[in-house]
Amino acid sequence: MTDQPHHPPALYDLDGVTIAVDGRAIIDGLSVGLAAGKVYALVGPNGSGKSTLIRALAGQQAVAAGQIRLQGRPVGDHDARRFARLVAYMPQFTPAAEGMTVAELVALGRFAWHGALGRFSARDGEKVAAALRVTGVERFRDRMVDALSGGERQRVWLAMMLAQDTAALLLDEPTSALDIAHQAGMLGLIRDQARARGQTVVMVLHDVNMAARFADEILALAAGRIAARGRPAEILTPDVLGRIYGLPMGTFPHPDTGAPVAYVR
């Protein structure tokens, strides 16, 4: 008997999903599965539906048609507490944390896990301490969140998501305010923690080279549909990139790894 290839189980299943805003379809009949334990990057031109899609996965955006299932159940069928134990979401613009210390904000990630009468348990404390440590923000634990730099705040929000201890991390442009060194550090941290924890990551990125470096798979959107999907080496070709972005693009091999690097012609 020939062994069948192993496919990780789907965490998310999208079936004919359409999302409309002001009568215009932003996501148009999208069907796609997202496997458990993989890192996905959503790329594509502005207005292609990336942020709309990730908000829908986070239960923050209504669906006009079709269905999004999380662990086999429609997203709307999960009660709020169960959903918060499964999905952590970082929006493109994180809300202000006025009057909160770093430790207090990260501790909010444990809200869905509090025990009887909402008590903060020893296990909650361990999860918060571990998240502060692995994200490198432990030294800021008593500082006010709003007094930190943009890069430091991004790490604090990631720490809160890790403390939440979910099956999925959804991040909308997690590196938008960061310089290139901090972008690489943040994305490497997200990838490494997700792999260590067996989490699924879906993140919106504008830099296709960063997406190729840190994601297991790239999903490229154009006009609300999947324009291309595959491993980084399958996406970073002149033909595929040209189809995604609508302009001439080329690639060359990275001098150290040999992996393709994209550029505009």
Side-chain angles (χ1 to χ4, degrees):
M1 180 182 294
T2 303
D3 291 338
Q4 295 296 313
H6 173 71
H7 297 288
L11 180 70
Y12 276 104
D13 277 305
L14 287 75
D15 184 10
V17 171
T18 295
I19 301 171
V21 177
D22 295 329
R24 183 172 70 92
I26 306 299
I27 299 295
D28 188 11
L30 184 64
S31 296
V32 67
L34 301 174
K38 294 187 71 173
V39 178
Y40 295 94
L42 297 179
V43 305
N46 290 343
S48 58
K50 302 183 298 296
S51 292
T52 298
L53 176 57
I54 209 162
R55 285 197 301 270
L57 296 176
Q60 303 292 312
Q61 176 69 56
V63 172
Q67 191 173 81
I68 300 176
R69 291 184 293 273
L70 172 64
Q71 289 189 339
R73 294 172 57 183
V75 164
D77 286 1
H78 295 270
D79 64 60
R81 186 174 185 183
R82 174 179 167 78
F83 192 81
R85 290 183 173 188
L86 291 173
V87 177
Y89 169 56
M90 182 192 291
Q92 183 177 350
F93 302 105
T94 55
E98 187 174 352
M100 297 189 72
T101 67
V102 166
E104 288 169 341
L105 180 62
V106 176
L108 290 180
R110 297 303 300 165
F111 184 79
W113 296 95
H114 287 174
L117 304 177
R119 293 194 180 100
F120 191 83
S121 68
R123 179 170 176 78
D124 292 326
E126 291 167 0
K127 292 288 186 180
V128 169
L132 290 167
R133 184 175 63 255
V134 299
T135 54
V137 298
E138 192 172 27
R139 65 189 186 280
F140 303 137
R141 61 174 299 121
D142 297 320
R143 289 182 59 183
M144 307 305 292
V145 175
D146 289 348
L148 301 177
S149 70
E152 290 164 349
R153 284 197 302 272
Q154 292 285 65
R155 282 182 172 256
V156 171
W157 279 92
L158 177 60
M160 183 179 71
M161 297 174 74
L162 294 177
Q164 198 171 332
D165 198 21
T166 56
L169 303 177
L170 309 178
L171 305 103
D172 191 354
E173 298 189 39
T175 61
S176 59
L178 306 181
D179 61 43
I180 191 167
H182 285 95
Q183 287 181 36
M186 181 74 164
L187 294 176
L189 178 61
I190 292 167
R191 177 199 59 196
D192 294 347
Q193 286 301 307
R195 288 180 176 171
R197 296 160 177 256
Q199 293 173 304
T200 299
V201 173
V202 185
M203 53 186 174
V204 174
L205 295 175
H206 277 295
D207 187 330
V208 71
N209 287 314
M210 285 292 188
R213 179 175 176 183
F214 292 105
D216 297 316
E217 192 168 333
I218 295 174
L219 281 73
L221 295 183
R225 295 176 176 269
I226 299 289
R229 175 180 184 173
R231 296 186 304 273
E234 296 171 324
I235 301 300
L236 268 68
T237 70
D239 288 346
V240 174
L241 291 170
R243 187 166 74 246
I244 295 167
Y245 293 104
L247 77 168
M249 296 188 68
T251 64
F252 63 89
H254 190 286
D256 293 330
T257 66
V261 177
Y263 65 93
V264 178
R265 288 187 181 275

